[in-house]
Amino acid sequence: MTASGGDTQHGIRRRNLARVLRTVAAQGPLSRPAVAARIGLTRAGVAPLVDELLRAGLLVETGRAATGGRGRPGGELAVSDRGPAGIGAEIGVDHLAVCAVDLRGRVRARVAAGAANRHSAPGPVLRRLSALLAEVTAGLSAEGLRPAGLTVAVPGLVARGSTTVLHAPNLGWRAADLAPDLAGATTPGHEAVLPLTVENEANLGALAELRLGGRDGRPAPPPDFVHVSAESGIGAAIVVDGQLLRGARGFAGELGHVPVYPDGPVCDCGGRGCLEQYAGERAVLRAGGVTAEGAAAAPAGPGARIGLLARRAADGDAATVRALHEAGTALGIALAGAVNLLDPQAVVLGGALAELAPWVLPSLERELARRTAVAATDGRGGGPLVTVSRLGADGPLLGAAHAALQAVLDDPLHSRTPAHSPRN
Amino acid sequence: MTASGGDTQHGIRRRNLARVLRTVAAQGPLSRPAVAARIGLTRAGVAPLVDELLRAGLLVETGRAATGGRGRPGGELAVSDRGPAGIGAEIGVDHLAVCAVDLRGRVRARVAAGAANRHSAPGPVLRRLSALLAEVTAGLSAEGLRPAGLTVAVPGLVARGSTTVLHAPNLGWRAADLAPDLAGATTPGHEAVLPLTVENEANLGALAELRLGGRDGRPAPPPDFVHVSAESGIGAAIVVDGQLLRGARGFAGELGHVPVYPDGPVCDCGGRGCLEQYAGERAVLRAGGVTAEGAAAAPAGPGARIGLLARRAADGDAATVRALHEAGTALGIALAGAVNLLDPQAVVLGGALAELAPWVLPSLERELARRTAVAATDGRGGGPLVTVSRLGADGPLLGAAHAALQAVLDDPLHSRTPAHSPRN
């Protein structure tokens, strides 16, 4: 009589391998007894799991090099800086970017290129992205790394578990399946198809926050937060109990189309007075008096045009400062609705928005405080804590690369041989 | 070596008792083999669990009366209509109500009384509620029922797991702990303290929808929905994967204070232009030209004043029809924000709002459709399905009574002797 029929020996072993790998990845280097203690297994139970992960090249013993031998059993364990690499890619309105992250979380390769993707057909954009992917992966094998998966960040709606961008208003894409054009792109000359995931960029920014928060002196995010990011549009990701809230179809987090002034200007989405009409990149550039030529002169890469705004504001340009103040007000009104609905512990400004925080935050926080007073009964005096992501515009790209590694962390031995696995 | 140290024999047995009871409660009457099949245990594994639940009086054999004996082992099992009863209570701005529900989900007692609770101190309100509770529970023992728990629905914020109403703006309560005044209220003359839960009324309305949806010809709710209810204020409950999203502190769902027209009238909460300023009961009564005397003449019970509005609208009163149309517009704007953020499958109009649906829905649906177009890429043509709860104004009270029974369903044998259990 068992309460959970799925607990086969095989299933338990697979889960325990994942627990060992994730524990060492998050907290290592660790001794074998420390690993056992942290996951609640005996040392005898942990030993064969560790051996298997060492054989697979996913773990290494930090004592090995020093002793010159096969490593002491009492040596410390760390995840390998060779082996699987997560490949993250980002399709922005004005740029393309690709990076590779190893199991230790280090960025091992990164390229970015300016691009005029607004209202460009998917085909040419994906061919350029494939070339960047090939450039990044070509360099990996020299370092003993192999791509374990590819996650692509897009500024649009993606149905849960699908590789199809259903609607990306700022790219002008509808129902664009990225799989055919990206198949095999990262392993030129191979038959193998790499596991491909397509995901909204705001969700990946929040995942980066969850994955990288607490590392390298960054503050760990609370389990419940709303992550707001801006690329060309404005998106949010809602994290509840450390998990992304994706919505019934995967479309949750469309903060950019929350009505702010219901009788305001008509939005591309068909609504009126949506947040993007006041705090979207185009609206702020226009309100700040930046010409199309000025915007086009920004360098390539994530957040480039927002960087232009930040420089103008830092230089004291009055129109830009005023435009950012108004954007903060609109963001505060929309976020007040989100906070009243969701009661998060924090609101994190991420993506390219992080760079604008000095000029956006004061008006944002004022609106949030006055409009979330009912919820402010814990004595903190109005609204949740607003924090600024230290990952900034790199968040979605880093989140994509980390998401691509997740399959290895969830199922270390299955996913270590992508060449033999069908795309999942 | 075990992956889940909490799986003791005792824990597994307790969970399996709960699974048997919940299965029979939801799908009974069922034969023993049918129970075994539904929960994936062997017939030999189920037999002792069923015997224990029969001995505790939580299950009965439907064949027992017919055969006059101890029941055939092949007889069908049903939950008892004697034994534990969940007691639900509701503190409204204009009414108090109490009901008792048995394990079969039948309402076995119900009382309601008009009350002038707006800005009344908690003490007198809770003394009147205690008298109603005593009236309901006094009648239960004659029917072989005993109170298993008490859940109180309040129109305000309650911290997770607490019995303290942190803020109920329409009652004027702040930091009011209901436990001291309600302790022992339902078991006069007994030392025993009944498990007490205090919960926001919108959350309980949504729980009623989850618990009673699909019964008696009602449609089953989808796993992801937003439940909107109105008593004096407007509240929402957010259900994700069949579970309430409560927020970090338990304050999620404050739809009434989502900004609709950010420069609108000042709200009690300190914000401006909140939804309640346009679609709250007082705002609609005022806009519909209902005088204070007219409103006070409404009969007692949940939704009485809203019933008054519905009658005036049904009679064709132009001011009321216009006021409800405007309320629907404001609801649609606020819900468009919620839908863009949460991507639910449905929006359910519940509580007293259900009765106003004929006059509120057209403008609500129009706003929702035009403002959620980005999310409407699945071809359904704008916004999620808006449905009207068939439970109506009774939802929160019924939800409270069912919530009070949940402890029995979750842990049948522990909770069957509340006289020996400390308050949890």
Side-chain angles (χ1 to χ4, degrees):
Chain A
M1 188 163 91
T2 170
S4 43
D7 281 351
T8 58
Q9 282 297 91
H10 178 72
I12 291 173
R13 180 174 183 75
R14 196 167 61 177
R15 274 206 301 284
N16 282 334
L17 282 166
R19 292 167 74 210
V20 170
L21 185 60
R22 282 198 297 254
T23 301
V24 177
Q27 302 170 39
L30 288 173
S31 68
R32 283 170 170 80
V35 172
R38 276 176 174 70
I39 65 179
L41 295 182
T42 61
R43 290 165 68 161
V46 158
L49 301 169
V50 166
D51 287 344
E52 201 159 343
L53 293 169
L54 285 168
R55 274 197 303 277
L58 298 172
L59 289 184
V60 293
E61 279 181 291
T62 53
R64 177 177 282 192
T67 59
R70 294 182 54 245
R72 293 165 295 115
E76 297 217 301
L77 300 165
V79 287
S80 175
D81 61 355
R82 301 169 70 86
I87 313 292
E90 187 175 20
I91 300 175
V93 171
D94 302 310
H95 74 280
L96 296 170
V98 176
C99 80
V101 166
D102 67 20
L103 275 177
R104 296 192 178 174
R106 291 206 199 118
V107 175
R108 300 291 288 271
R110 190 178 189 289
V111 293
N117 294 337
R118 189 180 294 277
H119 300 298
S120 167
V125 175
L126 296 174
R127 275 193 291 280
R128 269 201 82 191
L129 186 64
S130 295
L132 295 178
L133 283 164
E135 186 182 330
V136 162
T137 54
L140 290 181
S141 61
E143 303 191 47
L145 290 162
R146 56 187 153 70
L150 167 63
T151 297
V152 182
V154 294
L157 300 174
V158 184
R160 288 175 92 138
S162 136
T163 55
T164 296
V165 180
L166 281 170
H167 190 194
N170 290 304
L171 295 173
W173 293 3
R174 274 190 188 275
D177 185 359
L178 309 196
D181 284 303
L182 293 179
T186 60
T187 49
H190 284 70
E191 293 289 313
V193 176
L194 208 58
L196 170 68
T197 306
V198 180
E199 178 71 271
N200 177 273
E201 56 94 18
N203 283 350
L204 291 169
L207 276 181
E209 215 59 42
L210 282 169
R211 220 53 65 71
L212 299 173
R215 287 198 194 178
D216 304 335
R218 293 184 199 97
D224 297 272
F225 65 95
V226 174
H227 183 268
V228 186
S229 63
E231 204 262 334
S232 187
I234 292 175
I238 299 163
V239 175
V240 177
D241 288 336
Q243 301 285 324
L244 274 178
L245 186 158
R246 292 178 183 274
R249 294 164 298 173
F251 302 169
E254 281 292 307
L255 186 72
H257 299 286
V258 167
V260 172
Y261 299 102
D263 301 323
V266 172
C267 180
D268 285 348
C269 78
R272 294 187 82 100
C274 300
L275 175 61
E276 281 193 10
Q277 295 302 311
Y278 306 96
E281 188 186 274
R282 271 198 291 179
V284 178
L285 286 167
R286 192 170 50 231
V290 180
T291 60
E293 295 75 41
R305 293 192 182 198
I306 294 228
L308 181 71
L309 282 170
R311 276 191 304 282
R312 288 170 66 103
D315 290 345
D317 179 73
T320 302
V321 169
R322 196 166 51 239
L324 291 175
H325 174 88
E326 294 303 321
T329 300
L331 270 164
I333 293 169
L335 282 169
V339 167
N340 275 302
L341 286 169
L342 297 167
D343 183 28
Q345 278 164 282
V347 171
V348 180
L349 297 190
L353 208 51
E355 202 175 345
L356 298 177
W359 302 281
V360 161
L361 260 185
S363 52
L364 188 164
E365 287 189 313
R366 196 199 56 199
E367 293 298 326
L368 202 52
R370 66 196 282 222
R371 296 181 187 279
T372 57
V374 164
T377 45
D378 63 349
R380 207 172 54 224
L385 190 63
V386 182
T387 61
V388 178
S389 166
R390 297 206 194 157
L391 300 172
D394 282 338
L397 182 63
L398 289 172
H402 279 269
L405 266 181
Q406 193 58 43
V408 177
L409 293 167
D410 287 344
D411 190 0
L413 298 192
H414 174 72
S415 58
R416 112 190 131 85
T417 51
H420 303 294
S421 318
R423 189 170 65 78
N424 59 16
Chain B
M1 188 165 88
T2 168
S4 45
D7 283 351
T8 60
Q9 282 297 88
H10 179 72
I12 291 173
R13 180 173 183 76
R14 196 167 65 176
R15 273 207 301 283
N16 282 333
L17 282 165
R19 293 167 75 208
V20 171
L21 184 61
R22 281 199 298 254
T23 301
V24 177
Q27 302 171 40
L30 288 173
S31 68
R32 282 171 170 80
V35 172
R38 276 177 173 70
I39 66 179
L41 295 183
T42 62
R43 289 163 70 161
V46 157
L49 301 169
V50 166
D51 287 344
E52 200 159 344
L53 293 169
L54 286 168
R55 276 198 301 277
L58 298 172
L59 289 184
V60 293
E61 278 179 293
T62 54
R64 177 177 283 192
T67 60
R70 293 181 54 243
R72 293 166 294 114
E76 296 216 301
L77 300 165
V79 287
S80 175
D81 60 355
R82 300 168 70 85
I87 313 292
E90 188 176 18
I91 300 175
V93 171
D94 302 311
H95 75 280
L96 296 170
V98 176
C99 81
V101 166
D102 67 20
L103 275 177
R104 295 192 180 175
R106 291 205 199 119
V107 175
R108 300 291 288 272
R110 191 178 189 290
V111 293
N117 294 337
R118 190 181 292 277
H119 300 299
S120 168
V125 174
L126 296 174
R127 277 194 290 281
R128 269 200 81 192
L129 185 65
S130 294
L132 295 179
L133 283 164
E135 189 183 329
V136 161
T137 54
L140 290 180
S141 61
E143 302 191 46
L145 290 162
R146 55 188 153 68
L150 167 62
T151 297
V152 183
V154 294
L157 300 174
V158 184
R160 286 176 94 139
S162 137
T163 56
T164 296
V165 180
L166 281 172
H167 190 195
N170 289 304
L171 296 173
W173 294 3
R174 271 189 189 276
D177 186 359
L178 309 195
D181 284 303
L182 293 179
T186 59
T187 50
H190 284 70
E191 294 288 315
V193 177
L194 208 58
L196 171 67
T197 305
V198 180
E199 178 72 91
N200 177 272
E201 56 95 18
N203 281 351
L204 292 169
L207 276 181
E209 215 60 41
L210 281 170
R211 220 53 65 70
L212 299 172
R215 288 197 192 177
D216 305 334
R218 293 183 200 97
D224 296 272
F225 64 96
V226 174
H227 182 268
V228 186
S229 62
E231 204 260 337
S232 187
I234 292 173
I238 299 162
V239 176
V240 177
D241 286 337
Q243 301 285 325
L244 274 177
L245 185 157
R246 293 177 183 276
R249 294 164 300 174
F251 302 169
E254 282 292 306
L255 186 72
H257 299 285
V258 166
V260 172
Y261 299 101
D263 301 324
V266 173
C267 180
D268 286 349
C269 78
R272 293 187 82 103
C274 301
L275 175 61
E276 279 194 12
Q277 295 302 309
Y278 305 95
E281 189 185 274
R282 273 198 291 180
V284 178
L285 285 168
R286 192 170 50 233
V290 180
T291 60
E293 296 77 39
R305 293 189 183 200
I306 294 229
L308 182 70
L309 283 171
R311 277 192 304 282
R312 288 170 65 105
D315 289 345
D317 179 73
T320 302
V321 169
R322 197 167 49 240
L324 292 175
H325 173 87
E326 293 303 320
T329 300
L331 270 164
I333 293 168
L335 283 168
V339 166
N340 275 303
L341 286 168
L342 297 166
D343 183 28
Q345 278 164 285
V347 171
V348 180
L349 296 190
L353 208 52
E355 202 175 345
L356 298 177
W359 302 281
V360 162
L361 261 185
S363 52
L364 187 164
E365 287 187 315
R366 195 199 57 200
E367 293 298 326
L368 203 51
R370 65 196 281 222
R371 295 181 188 278
T372 57
V374 164
T377 43
D378 62 350
R380 206 170 59 224
L385 190 63
V386 182
T387 63
V388 179
S389 165
R390 297 205 194 160
L391 300 172
D394 283 338
L397 183 63
L398 289 173
H402 279 269
L405 267 181
Q406 193 60 42
V408 178
L409 293 168
D410 287 344
D411 190 1
L413 298 191
H414 173 74
S415 58
R416 106 192 135 87
T417 52
H420 304 293
S421 317
R423 186 169 66 79
N424 60 13

